[in-house]
Amino acid sequence: MAIGQCKDIENGEIRNNSLEDLEQPFIMQDKSSVIAYEDEESDCTSTISADQNGSIWMVLLSTFVAVCGSFEFGSCVGFSAPTQSAIREDLNLSLAQYSMFGSILTIGAMLGAVTSGRIADFIGRKGAMRLSAGFCITGWLAVFFAKGASSLDMGRFFTGFGIGIFSYVVPIFVAEIAPKNLRGGLTTLNQLMIVTGASLAFVIGTVISWRSLALTGLVPCLVLLLGLCFVPESPRWLAKVGQEKEFQVALQRLRGKDADITEEAAEIQEYIETLQTLPKVSLLDLFQRKYIRSLIIGVGLMVFQQFIGINGVGFYASETFEEAGLSGKTGTIAWAFVQVPITVVGAILIDKSGRRPLIMVSATGIFLGCSLAGTSFLLKAHGLLLELAPIIAVAGVLIYISSFSIGMGAVPWVIMSEIFPIHMKGVAGSLVVLVNWLGAWAVSYTYNFLMSWSSYGTYLIYSGFSIMAVLFVAVLVPETKGKTLEEIQACINADKRVEVLN
């Protein structure tokens, strides 16, 4: 937010080490990122034959099919926001029961994320996406037919497990099939489609019943299952598992029938051989002095990303707007129309402005948004400026989601993928993502209780975390824009040496 025996993602060997199993969901993801970095630094251009042939339609089709999983992710996340009042009324749920329904998604997603790498390594990227779609379909049907809290929770847990797998396998599949000149743009579609799916669920949920909204969640899964019949498997996965003939065929389909894939195929094979020479690491190795600063940065960013309250505010947006004195439907529609374009802006700025400035501006905006929302609740509690309070609340929440979308949503994941040495990425990513999903569960489960305790106090707590995030980034997080992985490591280690000398 296990499978007993699994193939080692790095070398294909079978092992049973339960601690090392946590490596699996992230090794290929980050190493694919490394390939992107290495490609960007390389002088070689002949590997990108799609450019030369104008034959990228299969890459685009494959990407479209895969990001249906990202859209499904967003649909699951966005489902609870516009449906809270209707579900509680129809099924007679208490606040605690609905909070469990909203938050159990993150528990399922945590388990799905932890097992996703092993699943994707064992049955392939396409197989993992099919399995994930199956879990989501089962979950949505359980929600649609729910007569009480138990079946509702079971359905939500299943969809959570499905999107946990999607959260790993979709960006990995896209990164592994895309030529380097398209990789950046295509991989950003993952985050964009998540946001689009959530925003569309917000809007549609205001005009149809919650059971009908659950059925709309089946659509991206069905499109994905159909589309997977027409696209190739990831060539890198095929090469890693030794399917040489299938590897060549898949790469040729992706690059075009007239493309020369010799050099790219050789580079992929060489990279896989290099991975096999890297030392194996355990979770305890992360706490060595040379890795501790990277660990603090990765874990710290995820803690702040969650404890500024995004999953609480997002999961229960409709109820929050109603609490402020505004129509929940109006508020969630406004949220949806703001979130998508701002996410696009953030994707454009991340390689222009740099990571540090973007995340600090984002956290500052979140502080402003939380302060405004908290102020509106405080005014309402004391019966002051009752006509202005709803407007201030809406402004605060929209500034909050805009600020989160432009930086805090995506940048911590980018930095996390850059700050760890290549042989530490798997185990480090596992720990960091566990922290992230645990934080997501804690925030989404406690949000309604905190709002019942003190609505303005809740936003005051979130604003405090946003200020701490600014200070944390200013003091500890290095700028990674435009640096190779080796340069980033040298920067982190140099800072450590300075600290020792002082």
Side-chain angles (χ1 to χ4, degrees), residues 27-48:
I27 291 178
M28 286 303 296
Q29 179 175 18
D30 292 324
K31 291 178 180 176
S32 298
S33 300
V34 173
I35 291 173
Y37 275 97
E38 291 175 348
D39 284 343
E40 288 168 4
E41 295 298 318
S42 174
D43 292 326
C44 176
T45 57
S46 60
T47 56
I48 306 308

Side-chain angles (χ1 to χ4, degrees), residues 37 40-41 348-358 411 414-415 418-419 477-485 487-488 491:
Y37 275 97
E40 288 168 4
E41 295 298 318
I348 295 170
L349 290 178
I350 192 168
D351 282 322
K352 294 182 180 294
S353 65
R355 281 52 157 161
R356 274 168 51 94
L358 194 59
V411 177
V414 174
I415 294 176
E418 296 171 332
I419 60 174
V477 179
E479 180 55 70
T480 59
K481 172 193 145 185
K483 293 184 175 68
T484 65
L485 298 181
E487 289 170 342
I488 293 169
C491 176

Side-chain angles (χ1 to χ4, degrees), residues 110-385:
M110 180 168 58
L111 295 176
V114 169
T115 58
S116 60
R118 297 191 292 280
I119 292 170
D121 190 52
F122 186 70
I123 62 176
R125 306 334 187 198
K126 288 174 61 175
M129 285 189 277
R130 288 189 179 103
L131 182 65
S132 181
F135 272 101
C136 288
I137 289 172
T138 303
W140 283 124
L141 291 176
V143 170
F144 177 77
F145 290 109
K147 301 297 182 183
S150 0
S151 52
L152 201 65
D153 290 345
M154 182 187 71
R156 186 75 163 166
F157 177 84
F158 271 51
T159 57
F161 189 86
I163 67 172
I165 299 175
F166 274 139
S167 69
Y168 165 74
V169 74
V170 170
I172 292 308
F173 178 75
V174 173
E176 289 180 347
I177 65 170
K180 72 178 182 182
N181 62 320
L182 298 177
R183 184 178 289 121
L186 293 179
T187 51
T188 58
L189 289 176
N190 176 58
Q191 180 67 21
L192 181 60
M193 291 300 285
I194 291 173
V195 170
T196 303
S199 299
L200 195 59
F202 277 18
V203 174
I204 296 177
T206 62
V207 295
I208 64 176
S209 71
W210 64 270
R211 292 187 190 274
S212 299
L213 185 61
L215 288 182
T216 66
L218 301 176
V219 176
C221 292
L222 296 175
V223 173
L224 182 138
L225 290 173
L226 178 63
L228 287 175
C229 299
F230 301 97
V231 302
E233 178 59 270
S234 162
R236 283 182 170 83
W237 179 78
L238 292 170
K240 183 174 69 67
V241 297
Q243 298 184 30
E244 180 64 28
K245 182 179 178 181
E246 292 82 356
F247 158 64
Q248 296 283 344
V249 171
L251 189 59
Q252 194 74 66
R253 286 185 68 193
L254 288 165
R255 299 297 177 257
K257 64 179 181 179
D258 299 322
D260 181 5
I261 63 170
T262 306
E263 189 164 359
E264 184 175 8
E267 287 179 358
I268 292 172
Q269 294 283 19
E270 181 182 356
Y271 184 72
I272 289 170
E273 291 171 6
T274 301
L275 294 184
Q276 296 176 357
T277 67
L278 296 175
K280 290 199 171 42
V281 295
S282 68
L283 190 63
L284 293 177
D285 291 329
L286 272 177
F287 295 91
Q288 296 178 25
R289 183 178 182 84
K290 57 184 174 181
Y291 305 128
I292 196 67
R293 186 183 178 207
S294 296
L295 180 63
I296 291 171
I297 292 170
V299 169
L301 286 174
M302 294 306 170
V303 167
F304 288 119
Q305 184 195 59
Q306 291 304 320
F307 281 89
I308 57 174
I310 183 60
N311 279 300
V313 179
F315 280 11
Y316 310 110
S318 177
E319 199 77 0
T320 301
F321 285 118
E322 291 177 3
E323 177 75 14
L326 187 76
S327 163
K329 291 184 178 180
T330 303
T332 51
I333 290 173
W335 174 298
F337 279 101
V338 164
Q339 193 175 23
V340 175
I342 295 296
T343 301
V344 174
V345 173
I348 295 170
L349 290 178
I350 192 168
D351 282 322
K352 294 182 180 294
S353 65
R355 281 52 157 161
R356 274 168 51 94
L358 194 59
I359 203 168
M360 291 171 73
V361 168
S362 174
T364 303
I366 289 168
F367 169 78
L368 176 61
C370 286
S371 299
L372 286 173
T375 299
S376 73
F377 288 124
L378 183 63
L379 291 173
K380 184 181 177 185
H382 289 84
L384 302 172
L385 302 176

